[in-house]
Amino acid sequence: MRHVSTVRQFDLQETTRLIERAEYLRTAKRAEIQKNLAGMLVATLFYEPSTRTRLSFEAAVYRLGGQVISAENAQENSSSKKGETLADVFRIVGAYVDAIVIRHHSSTELEQAMPYAPVPVINAGAGSGEHPTQALLDVYTIWRELGRIDNLSVAVLGDLKYGRTVHSLLRMFAMMSNISLKLYYPEGLGLPGDLLSEMAQAGVRVEHAASVEEALAGADVVYQTRIQAERLEALEEVCAASDYAIQAKHLSVLPAHARILHPLPRVGEIDPAIDPDARAAYFRQAENGLYLRMALLEQVLKGELS
Amino acid sequence: MRHVSTVRQFDLQETTRLIERAEYLRTAKRAEIQKNLAGMLVATLFYEPSTRTRLSFEAAVYRLGGQVISAENAQENSSSKKGETLADVFRIVGAYVDAIVIRHHSSTELEQAMPYAPVPVINAGAGSGEHPTQALLDVYTIWRELGRIDNLSVAVLGDLKYGRTVHSLLRMFAMMSNISLKLYYPEGLGLPGDLLSEMAQAGVRVEHAASVEEALAGADVVYQTRIQAERLEALEEVCAASDYAIQAKHLSVLPAHARILHPLPRVGEIDPAIDPDARAAYFRQAENGLYLRMALLEQVLKGELS
Amino acid sequence: MRHVSTVRQFDLQETTRLIERAEYLRTAKRAEIQKNLAGMLVATLFYEPSTRTRLSFEAAVYRLGGQVISAENAQENSSSKKGETLADVFRIVGAYVDAIVIRHHSSTELEQAMPYAPVPVINAGAGSGEHPTQALLDVYTIWRELGRIDNLSVAVLGDLKYGRTVHSLLRMFAMMSNISLKLYYPEGLGLPGDLLSEMAQAGVRVEHAASVEEALAGADVVYQTRIQAERLEALEEVCAASDYAIQAKHLSVLPAHARILHPLPRVGEIDPAIDPDARAAYFRQAENGLYLRMALLEQVLKGELS
């Protein structure tokens, strides 16, 4: 039994194994895999609402024949308002179920509570910290769309300072070979220094672009993220989120084999006019999350996660 | 595969087929129908809360052996607050499930988003627009209680201007033979002009009553609806909702074979003293919703809805 | 068919039968009991949020092969805000499911509505009234930890005036032999007079302690409860909740065979430093709730509850 807390737990071998299993589960006949988690019960505890991530995990459990109990709005509807610790919640709910999937507002609280859980806990996004299953499904998507997860030129756009999905993804890149990053972000929202050092140490090349076009030119993968309006307002130099949006006119500089990813939801960072383009991979990426989470749940619940 | 968006999709033949199937599912042994949706997964996304309608759909799925993932409070707990479009929600959640049941505050948004859904979407009530499954279960109830859905004298009481269940039901009456309506409503809350024209064109006779007694006299079916207090206050001529309520004293003018329907919830429009009367059909009507929705889900999920 | 409304329904024989069944269900192989409620559907309606109790009931249903439909936040998300009565809710939801588990803010409303439910209703906590399944699991825990439910010296600490779990538990003690209580509580938060009379009449001995140490000395069972800060503030004589908290230093006076129970959640009433001590039984107590509720659901759903 092991908790899933950070992408740092996943080496290249384990990541590859998960990807291959996800690919198998995608193509398997439903009836064939409908017993894999039979009799198993999973709790989804969401202290921050996230309908997409929650439904994705729950669908994954059901597709494998398991069952789910859920707190859609745990913050408001549970005893956490009275001051109960997360450790107590894990001990109690952990007595009812076989695994806990949790979204929490504090990565520190989550880390401190995990050791008290009698069953595996899966981090489904924690504060400004990690969102490991998002990074795994991102890597799965790159593998599926491009056929490889090394030798990649990757453009990363948006809020690189606070975006936890970007941080988790870059940490995964650190263990792959021959990765080049081109970053484009509002002044003041660049990568944190420690993450830049980590990239350098891992041999990931990092360049800075001065426009969407410059970022996209020659990219194999474009990873676009959301910039929260309040972040921009807080910056001295005012700029518009739309300066960082990918629009139809930008597609001409993007190689035909490239793929655009986005963790979603999007709110204007990608023009919907791009959706029909074969390079727009973000909805396929969301679907990949279902299969990747099925693979992960299988491993966690069978205690096979090394 | 087809979405269920409006009652206009259902002709007499299809309505009859649904009713007959609902009647079969009601009487079938549980074990007999428990495999009909085996392995199927349905999402219920409620952007406006409606415990009754949501639980009715979810119970229908479970009775047929399917599974459900649910957003009880999608408006507050999802990315719609961040500005995500409903089209994006449908594309993403549609990758996880086999069908989506949705309650939404805007019929326009719902109509625009439906084409993007990769799986069937069932409208479970949309703003001031349609609520097709309510109208279908109303018709099912009339068929079950009176043995026919034509040659009917129907009293319709309450807020006829804003009540979406009334609008959907009247559109169904438009395709039946020999229907007479007697309407009783507060000044200013009558039927919209286009619906009146539609009734005239379809040969539905429309009279206006001046009291509850006058409306009920000679009726085969009484359809009572709720008047929201704020609607009345907004009217120039102040009147009381209780003037439109059905009370025990009114039952004497109602034929013994007649039936009283109400989409529920009720808040004073029908005196609970009437509940034990055989003509009070509203709780049986609510139960009918379960079987009608089972029949509809079967058709939608088997792609058999013509 | 019978509702579960109060602990007064359970005599010693029925309580013992439930405990023995709970113990069987705890040790049974999962596959062995996974069909016990097959095809059954239970609704959990929570008009006051309580994630722990709700998840415990839902897990109990799933472990026995049943299915659940749920309103996590019924007060906000249902028609009760519009003024619908609970009797109407029971009649309608009772047409969809085989049993209803309800948490409600008013024991009076719940009592009045129960007769209208066409299926069994289980009270999962009602206002300042009863919480019968908590009392049953408390008794189950004493039986399991000490091997008996009579001849007990019990220390009860905290808010004895408003704590509904304490009230329900004491009513169960009233039917057992040779029970002595030692009570320790803030001035003004003692047991209600009628409950004191009830204890006297049942032959339960009651003493009052002047400190945590005095209460714990010689106890077989310590039942600790939460004191809500606002209760203390309302008292004339100000005192600190921490005066009533069990701390590591208190353990020296507690017999080695004694057990500490707490209905949870706890917010400072028990120092977490005590958790590893074998006498700290509160997390095992929470787990016992799962098995006790499984046993109760079986009986209710099979109509076997005498």
Side-chain angles (χ1 to χ4, degrees):
Chain A
M1 194 275 296
R2 221 187 52 183
H3 305 306
V4 175
S5 147
T6 160
V7 291
R8 294 181 199 278
Q9 295 174 246
F10 297 87
D11 62 16
L12 206 52
Q13 193 189 346
E14 186 146 295
T15 304
T16 307
R17 208 199 306 159
L18 273 173
I19 286 176
E20 287 169 355
R21 183 65 185 168
E23 193 64 17
Y24 164 76
L25 292 168
R26 168 195 297 274
T27 52
K29 283 196 189 116
R30 280 206 198 184
E32 213 169 288
I33 59 175
Q34 190 69 47
K35 299 276 181 202
N36 293 15
L37 297 184
M40 294 279 193
L41 190 56
V42 174
T44 57
L45 305 181
F46 276 64
Y47 285 79
E48 282 184 337
S50 172
T51 300
R52 176 195 337 287
T53 303
R54 185 173 57 82
L55 295 186
S56 167
F57 269 107
E58 295 182 2
V61 176
Y62 283 122
R63 293 275 185 135
L64 295 167
Q67 299 280 7
V68 177
I69 57 178
S70 178
E72 174 173 348
N73 196 2
Q75 186 63 16
E76 289 304 307
N77 295 344
S78 80
S79 300
S80 74
K81 283 210 307 201
K82 300 180 192 157
E84 187 181 32
T85 67
L86 196 52
D88 276 14
V89 172
F90 281 166
R91 275 184 280 215
I92 296 164
V93 177
Y96 305 155
V97 297
D98 300 294
I100 295 170
V101 173
I102 185 167
R103 163 73 56 101
H104 202 266
H105 40 85
S106 161
S107 53
T108 314
E109 273 188 55
L110 180 56
E111 285 302 317
Q112 287 169 349
M114 273 185 170
Y116 295 97
V119 296
V121 173
I122 300 177
N123 172 1
S128 58
E130 290 257 9
H131 191 358
T133 61
Q134 178 69 45
L136 287 166
L137 77 88
D138 292 342
V139 170
Y140 174 33
T141 302
I142 295 170
W143 177 89
R144 195 155 205 276
E145 296 281 335
L146 293 177
R148 67 179 192 279
I149 53 174
D150 52 12
N151 300 303
L152 293 168
S153 187
V154 184
V156 189
L157 286 76
D159 173 1
L160 311 188
K161 187 172 179 187
Y162 298 101
R164 73 181 162 206
T165 62
V166 167
H167 298 176
S168 288
L169 179 59
L170 293 197
R171 289 199 182 104
M172 298 228 68
F173 282 147
M175 66 185 182
M176 296 165 191
S177 309
N178 195 21
I179 305 288
S180 304
L181 303 179
K182 237 192 281 182
L183 311 178
Y184 180 54
Y185 50 88
E187 184 89 29
L189 293 182
L191 279 185
D194 59 340
L195 202 52
L196 273 174
S197 315
E198 210 177 317
M199 293 300 108
Q201 214 163 359
V204 174
R205 288 176 301 280
V206 175
E207 283 177 80
H208 299 264
S211 69
V212 173
E213 283 87 349
E214 198 187 318
L216 266 57
D220 300 308
V221 173
V222 179
Y223 199 85
Q224 170 72 310
T225 64
R226 205 151 43 87
I227 303 175
Q228 294 178 336
E230 58 270 28
R231 302 283 189 211
L232 287 177
E233 281 163 25
L235 296 175
E236 278 186 32
E237 189 187 339
V238 175
C239 53
S242 62
D243 293 347
Y244 301 86
I246 301 179
Q247 292 155 9
K249 65 178 181 185
H250 296 134
L251 287 184
S252 60
V253 300
L254 188 67
H257 74 273
R259 290 296 181 265
I260 304 172
L261 276 66
H262 190 302
L264 302 178
R266 67 169 165 183
V267 189
E269 310 89 33
I270 297 180
D271 184 348
I274 289 174
D275 295 353
D277 194 287
R279 290 168 289 184
Y282 28 90
F283 292 121
R284 298 192 293 273
Q285 179 186 5
E287 181 178 0
N288 293 341
L290 174 64
Y291 304 110
L292 193 285
R293 284 172 181 134
M294 287 167 72
L296 188 69
L297 282 161
E298 270 191 348
Q299 289 211 307
V300 166
L301 278 162
K302 293 186 173 169
E304 285 174 19
L305 201 61
S306 64
Chain B
M1 193 277 296
R2 219 186 54 181
H3 305 307
V4 175
S5 147
T6 160
V7 290
R8 295 180 198 277
Q9 293 174 246
F10 297 87
D11 62 16
L12 206 53
Q13 192 189 346
E14 186 145 295
T15 304
T16 307
R17 206 198 308 159
L18 273 173
I19 286 176
E20 287 169 356
R21 184 65 184 168
E23 193 64 16
Y24 165 75
L25 292 168
R26 170 197 295 272
T27 52
K29 284 197 189 113
R30 280 205 196 184
E32 213 170 286
I33 59 173
Q34 190 69 48
K35 298 278 182 202
N36 293 16
L37 296 185
M40 295 279 192
L41 190 57
V42 174
T44 56
L45 306 180
F46 276 64
Y47 285 79
E48 281 184 337
S50 172
T51 301
R52 176 194 337 283
T53 304
R54 184 172 58 80
L55 295 186
S56 168
F57 268 109
E58 295 181 2
V61 175
Y62 283 121
R63 293 273 185 135
L64 295 167
Q67 299 279 8
V68 177
I69 56 178
S70 178
E72 174 173 348
N73 195 1
Q75 186 63 14
E76 288 305 306
N77 294 344
S78 80
S79 300
S80 74
K81 284 211 307 201
K82 300 179 192 160
E84 187 182 31
T85 66
L86 195 53
D88 276 15
V89 171
F90 281 166
R91 276 184 280 215
I92 296 165
V93 176
Y96 304 155
V97 297
D98 300 294
I100 295 170
V101 173
I102 185 167
R103 162 73 55 101
H104 201 266
H105 40 85
S106 161
S107 54
T108 315
E109 273 188 56
L110 180 56
E111 285 302 317
Q112 286 170 349
M114 273 187 169
Y116 295 97
V119 296
V121 172
I122 299 177
N123 172 1
S128 56
E130 290 257 10
H131 191 357
T133 61
Q134 177 69 47
L136 288 166
L137 77 89
D138 292 342
V139 171
Y140 174 33
T141 301
I142 295 170
W143 176 89
R144 192 153 209 278
E145 297 281 336
L146 294 178
R148 67 179 193 276
I149 54 174
D150 52 12
N151 300 303
L152 293 169
S153 187
V154 184
V156 189
L157 286 76
D159 174 1
L160 311 187
K161 186 172 182 187
Y162 298 102
R164 72 182 162 207
T165 62
V166 168
H167 299 176
S168 288
L169 179 58
L170 293 197
R171 288 198 182 103
M172 299 226 68
F173 281 147
M175 66 184 182
M176 295 165 191
S177 308
N178 194 22
I179 305 288
S180 304
L181 303 180
K182 235 193 284 182
L183 312 178
Y184 180 54
Y185 49 87
E187 183 89 30
L189 293 182
L191 279 185
D194 57 341
L195 202 51
L196 273 174
S197 313
E198 211 177 316
M199 292 300 105
Q201 213 163 0
V204 174
R205 287 177 301 280
V206 175
E207 283 177 80
H208 300 262
S211 69
V212 173
E213 282 87 351
E214 198 188 318
L216 266 56
D220 301 307
V221 173
V222 179
Y223 199 85
Q224 169 72 308
T225 64
R226 206 151 42 85
I227 303 175
Q228 294 178 336
E230 58 271 28
R231 302 283 188 214
L232 288 177
E233 282 163 25
L235 296 174
E236 278 188 31
E237 187 188 341
V238 176
C239 52
S242 62
D243 293 347
Y244 301 86
I246 300 178
Q247 292 155 11
K249 63 176 182 186
H250 296 134
L251 288 183
S252 59
V253 300
L254 189 67
H257 73 273
R259 290 296 181 262
I260 303 171
L261 276 65
H262 188 303
L264 302 179
R266 66 168 165 185
V267 188
E269 309 90 33
I270 297 181
D271 184 347
I274 290 175
D275 295 353
D277 194 287
R279 290 167 288 183
Y282 28 90
F283 292 122
R284 298 193 293 274
Q285 178 188 7
E287 181 177 359
N288 293 340
L290 174 64
Y291 304 111
L292 194 284
R293 284 172 179 134
M294 288 168 71
L296 187 69
L297 282 161
E298 270 192 348
Q299 289 211 307
V300 165
L301 279 162
K302 293 186 172 170
E304 285 174 19
L305 202 59
S306 65
Chain C
M1 191 274 296
R2 221 186 52 182
H3 306 307
V4 175
S5 148
T6 160
V7 290
R8 295 181 198 276
Q9 294 174 246
F10 297 88
D11 62 16
L12 206 53
Q13 193 189 346
E14 185 145 296
T15 304
T16 307
R17 207 199 307 159
L18 273 173
I19 286 175
E20 286 170 358
R21 183 65 185 171
E23 194 64 16
Y24 164 76
L25 292 168
R26 169 197 295 275
T27 52
K29 282 195 191 120
R30 280 206 197 183
E32 213 169 287
I33 58 174
Q34 190 69 49
K35 298 276 183 205
N36 293 16
L37 297 184
M40 295 279 192
L41 190 56
V42 174
T44 56
L45 306 181
F46 276 64
Y47 285 79
E48 281 184 337
S50 172
T51 300
R52 175 196 338 287
T53 303
R54 185 173 56 82
L55 295 186
S56 168
F57 268 108
E58 296 182 2
V61 176
Y62 283 121
R63 293 275 184 133
L64 295 168
Q67 299 280 5
V68 177
I69 58 179
S70 179
E72 174 173 348
N73 195 2
Q75 185 62 15
E76 289 305 306
N77 295 343
S78 80
S79 300
S80 74
K81 283 211 307 200
K82 300 179 193 159
E84 187 181 32
T85 66
L86 196 52
D88 277 15
V89 171
F90 281 166
R91 275 185 280 215
I92 296 165
V93 176
Y96 305 155
V97 297
D98 300 295
I100 295 171
V101 173
I102 186 168
R103 163 73 55 100
H104 200 267
H105 40 85
S106 161
S107 55
T108 315
E109 274 189 55
L110 180 56
E111 285 302 317
Q112 287 170 349
M114 273 185 170
Y116 295 96
V119 297
V121 173
I122 299 176
N123 172 1
S128 58
E130 289 256 10
H131 190 358
T133 62
Q134 178 69 45
L136 288 166
L137 78 88
D138 291 343
V139 171
Y140 174 33
T141 301
I142 294 171
W143 177 88
R144 193 154 208 276
E145 296 281 337
L146 293 178
R148 68 180 192 278
I149 53 175
D150 52 11
N151 301 303
L152 292 168
S153 187
V154 185
V156 189
L157 287 77
D159 174 0
L160 311 188
K161 186 172 181 187
Y162 299 102
R164 73 179 161 210
T165 63
V166 168
H167 298 175
S168 289
L169 179 60
L170 293 197
R171 288 197 182 105
M172 299 226 68
F173 282 147
M175 66 183 182
M176 295 165 190
S177 309
N178 195 21
I179 304 288
S180 305
L181 303 180
K182 237 192 281 182
L183 312 178
Y184 181 54
Y185 50 88
E187 183 89 28
L189 293 182
L191 278 186
D194 58 340
L195 203 52
L196 274 174
S197 314
E198 210 177 317
M199 293 299 107
Q201 213 163 0
V204 174
R205 288 177 300 280
V206 175
E207 285 177 79
H208 300 263
S211 69
V212 173
E213 282 87 351
E214 198 189 318
L216 267 57
D220 301 306
V221 174
V222 179
Y223 199 85
Q224 169 71 309
T225 64
R226 205 151 42 85
I227 304 174
Q228 293 178 337
E230 59 272 29
R231 302 280 188 214
L232 287 177
E233 283 163 24
L235 296 174
E236 278 186 32
E237 189 188 338
V238 176
C239 53
S242 61
D243 293 347
Y244 301 86
I246 301 177
Q247 291 155 11
K249 64 177 179 185
H250 297 134
L251 288 184
S252 60
V253 300
L254 189 67
H257 74 272
R259 291 296 182 263
I260 304 171
L261 276 65
H262 189 301
L264 302 178
R266 65 167 166 187
V267 188
E269 309 89 31
I270 297 180
D271 184 349
I274 290 174
D275 296 352
D277 193 288
R279 290 168 288 182
Y282 28 90
F283 293 122
R284 298 193 293 274
Q285 179 187 6
E287 181 177 0
N288 292 341
L290 174 64
Y291 304 111
L292 193 286
R293 285 173 178 133
M294 288 168 72
L296 187 68
L297 282 161
E298 270 192 347
Q299 289 211 307
V300 166
L301 279 161
K302 292 185 172 171
E304 286 173 17
L305 201 59
S306 65

